Amino acid sequence: MKGPLSTEHVEDRVRSTMIRRAEDMAAGDGAAWDPTDTVRPLGRRALTEHPPRSRPLAAVVAVVVVIAGAAAGLGVANHDDPSRRADTTAGGDADRPRAEGPFEGEVPRSTTPPTVPGPDSGQILGTTLATYVRTTDGAVVEVRWFPPEALELPNPPGSEDLRAGGYRANYWEGSDQQVSSLALFFEDGILRINGDEVGMREDLLAFADGVRRIPGRTEPEVTPPPGYAPG
Amino acid sequence: MAGGAAEGRAAEFTRLYISERDRLRRLVYLMTGQTAVAEEIVHDAFLRVHDRWEDIEAPAGYLRTVVVNLCRAWRNRAALARIRTPRSRGWVDPPEVDETWQLLARLPHEQRAVLVLRYYEDLPDGEIAALLGCRPATVRTRIHRALRKVREEMTP
């Protein structure tokens, strides 16, 4: 039944709805972040409901970046659950979890030797807030960095000291449907995954299929942060 | 010394980030209805603030202005994009909340924005006008029209 409502009543409904939905959002965030996990339940559900390859606007990848202090020299440990990752490699099935790969079994290893860090390989081009990594094929990938306190992400196993010495980043694009997360570590200015130097195209781009690539961007916009630029 | 100053600025920025991020995400969510967009817009806003950090006198206020502007820009882009399938939520609300939320979602962006800024942010007309780049009288008109639309469809 519809009928005239007072302005005050409508205002109250509008206000209470907004407050309720804002609280829902905050509560949902809290519940979604399992302190022992880095993949949101929403993202896992979305993998089967909305495969990213079927939706051009939903090229979604979350890349979790931990920047170790340049002199820290700490080991790297992957902290993702491989069973929760989608296969977003070229020709892969986004609905199907990855089966094999170098990172505890989920990411296909590059068939090419690791590239030697240099101006065209894993170069960090940005700031500590938004950075760009140039790949071996010349593409530039944007990775976003967040202060660690804001992310509420767990430290990778064995790397508790990283929180004090660096940043964590969570990359989103287009949607909150997190396809996968990936831990990247910078040691001595070199981008590594599980201690291996990264062959960017195969190990990052193919894995993180939806990472934003910046067409035509080949030069850094800003000076790399001290200690994080490859030597 | 320069390093110390830079560290101080970084710490200040981090404090701003921590204090404002979640609040702004909720604000953007209410304006856009999409948590992903909220994440994206708020981060973009922080990037802009970061880039202009030295020139900004009131970062929090600047941040909110940028967020509101980015919401408007997003809405303009979204209008051109294909309609996406709504995602399921992880929570259940009372029917009246769901109904009101849907009514708000159907409002034009400028009307939804004024309602959010008024009824969630509790901002006065003048501040809303400044954020949206219009006159206070326009704010009042938009609020009036928005409430009228909602009321016409709202179940008592």
Side-chain angles (χ1 to χ4, degrees):
Chain A
M1 184 181 72
K2 295 180 181 178
L5 295 169
S6 69
T7 299
E8 291 73 19
H9 183 86
V10 175
E11 288 177 322
D12 286 345
R13 287 267 298 262
V14 168
R15 182 181 289 108
S16 61
T17 293
M18 290 178 178
I19 292 172
R20 177 67 179 256
R21 280 306 174 98
E23 290 173 348
D24 284 343
M25 182 198 185
D29 277 359
W33 283 113
D34 182 337
T36 62
D37 195 0
T38 60
V39 181
R40 293 185 175 194
L42 176 62
R44 290 196 290 269
R45 184 168 61 248
L47 285 180
T48 55
E49 292 178 352
H50 303 291
R53 281 184 176 280
S54 68
R55 300 185 303 120
L57 293 179
V60 183
V61 167
V63 179
V64 178
V65 179
V66 174
I67 304 164
L74 295 173
V76 178
N78 179 58
H79 56 291
D80 289 337
D81 180 349
S83 67
R84 291 164 177 161
R85 290 185 171 181
D87 182 357
T88 54
T89 54
D93 182 355
D95 282 332
R96 178 171 55 83
R98 293 176 183 278
E100 296 179 356
F103 313 123
E104 297 184 357
E106 72 275 27
V107 181
R109 180 180 291 279
S110 169
T111 56
T112 58
T115 54
V116 178
D120 294 322
S121 175
Q123 186 177 13
I124 303 167
L125 307 175
T127 69
T128 55
L129 193 62
T131 195
Y132 305 94
V133 178
R134 184 152 53 203
T135 67
T136 49
D137 67 345
V140 176
V141 176
E142 181 188 41
V143 179
R144 296 181 162 194
W145 300 5
F146 288 74
E149 298 84 352
L151 276 182
E152 300 176 0
L153 288 173
N155 275 307
S159 59
E160 285 75 13
D161 292 341
L162 294 180
R163 183 177 291 270
Y167 290 80
R168 289 175 170 226
N170 193 14
Y171 180 81
W172 302 88
E173 179 172 302
S175 169
D176 58 352
Q177 295 168 12
Q178 183 174 337
V179 172
S180 60
S181 59
L182 175 64
L184 305 181
F185 295 82
F186 294 93
E187 297 176 64
D188 299 325
I190 300 172
L191 181 62
R192 299 172 189 270
I193 297 178
N194 280 4
D196 294 333
E197 295 172 10
V198 176
M200 292 299 294
R201 181 177 178 77
E202 293 81 4
D203 289 344
L204 178 61
L205 283 183
F207 170 75
D209 188 68
V211 166
R212 175 181 294 172
R213 300 171 68 137
I214 314 296
R217 178 175 290 172
T218 57
E219 296 300 324
E221 290 187 329
V222 293
T223 305
Y228 294 130
Chain B
M1 295 303 105
E7 288 178 9
R9 288 194 297 273
E12 196 176 344
F13 182 85
T14 300
R15 282 195 294 273
L16 176 73
Y17 188 97
I18 293 170
S19 68
E20 296 295 321
R21 175 174 176 263
D22 288 344
R23 189 181 69 80
L24 290 172
R25 284 175 62 232
R26 290 192 289 271
L27 173 64
V28 177
Y29 172 66
L30 293 176
M31 285 190 172
T32 65
Q34 297 190 36
T35 54
V37 173
E39 190 82 46
E40 192 81 2
I41 284 179
V42 170
H43 198 101
D44 281 343
F46 273 107
L47 287 178
R48 296 191 183 194
V49 170
H50 187 271
D51 289 344
R52 298 165 178 78
W53 188 250
E54 302 295 338
D55 304 321
I56 300 172
E57 292 184 359
Y62 184 89
L63 195 57
R64 186 165 62 182
T65 302
V66 172
V67 160
V68 171
N69 288 337
L70 289 177
C71 283
R72 183 165 48 210
W74 170 83
R75 187 62 191 87
N76 291 338
R77 289 196 307 274
L80 300 176
R82 67 187 177 92
I83 298 174
R84 300 170 60 186
T85 304
R87 292 181 297 100
S88 59
R89 302 194 316 266
W91 59 79
V92 177
D93 280 328
E96 63 271 21
V97 172
D98 279 341
E99 181 194 57
T100 307
W101 183 249
Q102 290 170 12
L103 294 176
L104 293 173
R106 291 207 290 265
L107 292 175
H109 175 74
E110 60 271 16
Q111 291 185 8
R112 182 171 177 164
V114 294
L115 292 187
V116 172
L117 294 171
R118 164 57 52 83
Y119 295 109
Y120 183 73
E121 289 283 295
D122 282 328
L123 296 180
D125 293 345
E127 282 192 46
I128 297 174
L131 281 170
L132 298 177
C134 62
R135 294 178 299 138
T138 303
V139 170
R140 288 191 288 274
T141 300
R142 288 178 181 174
I143 290 175
H144 175 75
R145 289 177 178 170
L147 290 177
R148 187 177 63 194
K149 279 188 185 179
V150 171
R151 181 170 51 207
E152 286 171 357
E153 299 295 326
M154 187 176 275
T155 305

